[in-house]
Amino acid sequence: MRSLEKSNLHFKKAISKLPLGVSSNFRYWGDDKTIFAKYGKGARLWDIDGNEYIDYRLAYGPAILGYADPRVDAAARAGMDVGGVFALATEMEYSVARRISRMVPAAELVRFSNSGTEAVMAALRIARAYTGKDGHIVLEGGYHGVFNEVLWYSEIEEWDPEDGDPEVLPFGEGIPQVTKRLFHTAPLNDADAIEDLFRKHGNKIGAFLIEPIMGNCCGIEATEEYMKAVREICDRYDVLLIIDEVKTGFRVARGGAQELYGVRADLCTFAKSMANGYPISVVAGREDIMRCVGNGVVHGGTFTGHSISLAAADKTLEILDETNALQSINNYGERLRAGLSEILTARGIDHCFAGHPSMSGLFFSSEAPGDYRAWVDSDYEFYDALAPEMHELGILIEPDSREPWFMCEAHDMKCLDETLDKFARAVDITMNKIADKERKKRTA
Ligand SMILES: Cc1ncc(COP(=O)(O)O)c(C=O)c1O
């Protein structure tokens, strides 16, 4: 049995100084379940109790090469010698921007920020300036950061399809009601619904924001046909297509989801994988649109273009661009899927995968949902019961089934064998617990 004694004790201290005892709401897993990380190396992470985990969360994606990668960390140390930030530009901004443009053809011009949230916020601002229209579309199940205009969601867990479309609610309190007026939504893979929105509100909608492989919704995928259709519809209605590649960028392909789909965004955003965990992000896009920046549109920030993050990005992108790292990450993901599938099939459990092998969604249903509404039909309760058993055995996956499993270059065959062995045990424990519960219910 895993002990979280030190984490639990530390939680009591942390909660006295930090809301929920953490620095992001998503890191709080319950008073006695919240884990405090001590350090990470490669594909593994150790908590303050000394528990070792093979990590498939990877900080929600950034550690694409593995934690504390010596190549990137050496570059970051050299970046430290540069001196941090100066409220002046440095030469490295140009060289990183040039590589990004080479890897992602749509990224004709590039601006750096610090987080995915900031990059998406900037993309929406630029789109509003360029089109003169303030509204935007976010798809159901889409997540694009922690700023007001995108912090609305479609409530589907309590939703009854007989009542029409799901209710759109704020992610929490403090989100101004006025921002709801800018927010429009539709299910993924329904191009008619997008056209319908444009027909009704096209004069108010300037941006269509999409993450084609929904990295916060089990990797549910847009079809190629859908992506081509929305590209065309956006052009017809004078709406900018913003492809949010904060998770997919430099991960699912060198050129991100845009390369996989063969679709070019007007604006695109990158963050997680680009510096192996050092904080940096990018808003990029078509030159005529990006030239709005500095020509009416404000963009900046004290810490943008930090010398440590830029140096880390320079090295990480060099590795992803010039080695077969992405191929080996992909291969690992394929092998993992095959192994998980064998275990589940042997136990007669319906399952399937969605998304890309390097950010893989696991569904307990025979067919992957085509949109967020269909997610409720998968047996996510089984996933919810399985995740804590995986944690007990030392495999770190997100407790919420909507987060895909992330792979990194440091996941090796030893990780694979250990993961599969523990997965099989966790599935058996979960099945036994569920059977026990049902037996007790029957006899009560
Ligand atoms: C697609 C997408 N966009 C934006 C963000 C926000 O990024 P950050 O957490 O760095 O602000 C996230 C974070 O998970 C994301 O997955």
Side-chain angles (χ1 to χ4, degrees):
M1 187 71 180
R2 177 183 60 143
S3 165
L4 289 181
E5 199 183 329
K6 286 187 182 155
S7 276
N8 290 345
L9 270 176
H10 185 73
F11 178 78
K12 292 199 174 105
K13 274 198 273 176
I15 192 87
S16 72
K17 282 289 162 215
L18 300 146
L20 293 178
V22 291
S23 296
S24 160
N25 289 9
F26 309 110
R27 296 177 197 168
Y28 170 76
W29 293 359
D31 291 11
D32 58 351
K33 299 263 176 344
T34 297
I35 298 170
F36 291 88
K38 184 149 191 170
Y39 66 98
K41 182 70 194 158
R44 292 175 192 256
L45 181 150
W46 286 261
D47 67 20
I48 59 172
D49 283 283
N51 298 305
E52 178 178 336
Y53 305 88
I54 299 175
D55 193 357
Y56 291 99
R57 293 172 73 250
L58 298 175
Y60 295 140
I64 186 144
L65 302 172
Y67 293 116
D69 181 273
R71 300 160 293 181
V72 179
D73 286 356
R77 265 182 223 108
M80 211 174 283
D81 292 340
V82 174
V85 282
F86 311 100
L88 289 171
T90 60
E91 286 175 315
M92 196 169 269
E93 291 169 19
Y94 167 73
S95 58
V96 177
R98 198 178 49 168
R99 185 181 295 272
I100 291 171
S101 292
R102 266 210 315 266
M103 294 173 82
V104 185
E108 292 173 6
L109 295 190
V110 168
R111 264 289 172 102
F112 295 104
S113 289
N114 301 299
S115 67
T117 295
E118 280 181 67
V120 179
M121 214 154 56
L124 281 183
R125 182 178 302 142
I126 296 165
R128 286 189 206 111
Y130 186 84
T131 61
K133 300 186 281 186
D134 286 350
H136 55 272
I137 294 178
V138 170
L139 294 174
E140 291 177 3
Y143 175 79
H144 300 279
V146 282
F147 64 104
N148 295 327
E149 293 101 305
V150 295
L151 279 176
W152 295 87
Y153 76 103
S154 298
E155 205 301 301
I156 58 150
E157 283 173 59
E158 307 290 320
W159 171 60
D160 180 351
E162 309 256 300
D163 297 340
D165 289 333
E167 194 180 357
V168 173
L169 297 172
F171 267 70
E173 293 171 19
I175 294 158
Q177 193 66 27
V178 287
T179 58
K180 191 177 179 183
R181 268 191 258 137
L182 305 175
F183 184 95
H184 302 267
T185 193
L188 179 72
N189 286 326
D190 184 349
D192 290 342
I194 300 297
E195 177 136 29
D196 223 37
L197 276 176
F198 288 170
R199 245 188 250 117
K200 287 190 194 131
H201 309 287
N203 60 338
K204 293 193 210 125
I205 297 174
F208 175 46
L209 183 56
I210 178 170
E211 188 190 21
I213 300 170
M214 300 181 95
N216 299 277
C217 206
C218 345
I220 298 176
E221 291 161 272
T223 63
E224 264 184 55
E225 188 191 0
Y226 177 75
M227 287 307 293
K228 301 237 150 83
V230 294
R231 176 65 279 180
E232 186 275 319
I233 300 169
C234 282
D235 287 341
R236 202 147 31 83
Y237 285 87
D238 193 20
V239 174
L240 296 190
L241 176 63
I242 304 177
I243 300 191
D244 183 352
E245 302 238 32
V246 161
K247 274 187 172 163
T248 53
F250 312 116
R251 170 175 277 283
V252 299
R254 289 187 173 94
Q258 296 175 73
E259 182 180 316
L260 290 187
Y261 282 91
V263 168
R264 196 170 168 132
D266 296 310
L267 291 169
C268 42
T269 50
F270 299 89
K272 306 221 180 202
S273 294
M274 65 178 284
N276 204 45
Y278 288 91
I280 187 164
S281 66
V282 150
V283 56
R286 232 171 65 199
E287 176 161 3
D288 61 322
I289 302 169
M290 286 295 292
R291 290 277 177 220
C292 290
V293 176
N295 192 14
V297 172
V298 63
H299 173 270
T302 303
F303 294 110
T304 56
H306 195 287
S307 64
I308 298 177
S309 296
L310 273 174
D314 192 48
K315 181 48 81 178
T316 305
L317 292 174
E318 179 194 308
I319 294 166
L320 297 176
D321 195 17
E322 296 179 17
T323 73
N324 64 356
L326 288 183
Q327 190 55 50
S328 52
I329 293 167
N330 195 37
N331 292 347
Y332 184 90
E334 298 271 20
R335 284 187 153 132
L336 181 66
R337 279 181 172 184
L340 300 178
S341 200
E342 203 175 297
I343 290 162
L344 293 167
T345 305
R347 287 156 179 78
I349 299 174
D350 276 347
H351 65 280
C352 62
F353 301 99
H356 190 269
S358 83
M359 45 182 279
S360 191
L362 168 59
F363 290 100
F364 291 106
S365 58
S366 52
E367 222 176 282
D371 62 33
Y372 185 38
R373 293 180 185 194
W375 170 77
V376 273
D377 298 328
S378 71
D379 189 358
Y380 59 86
E381 283 171 0
F382 186 77
Y383 189 104
D384 293 347
L386 175 68
E389 304 303 340
M390 294 284 276
H391 299 166
E392 282 298 323
L393 295 173
I395 307 293
L396 212 49
I397 55 173
E398 184 68 9
D400 186 321
S401 69
R402 280 164 283 200
E403 189 71 16
W405 296 25
F406 288 94
M407 315 298 144
C408 68
E409 197 191 17
H411 278 121
D412 57 14
M413 289 309 115
K414 196 158 171 280
C415 293
L416 184 69
D417 291 345
E418 202 176 318
T419 303
L420 294 177
D421 173 55
K422 290 181 171 175
F423 181 75
R425 281 158 56 197
V427 170
D428 289 340
I429 293 168
T430 309
M431 286 173 81
N432 287 338
K433 282 192 179 169
I434 291 172
D436 263 0
K437 228 191 240 167
E438 275 165 11
R439 213 173 301 122
K440 275 189 197 133
K441 231 194 264 164
R442 272 200 309 274
T443 52

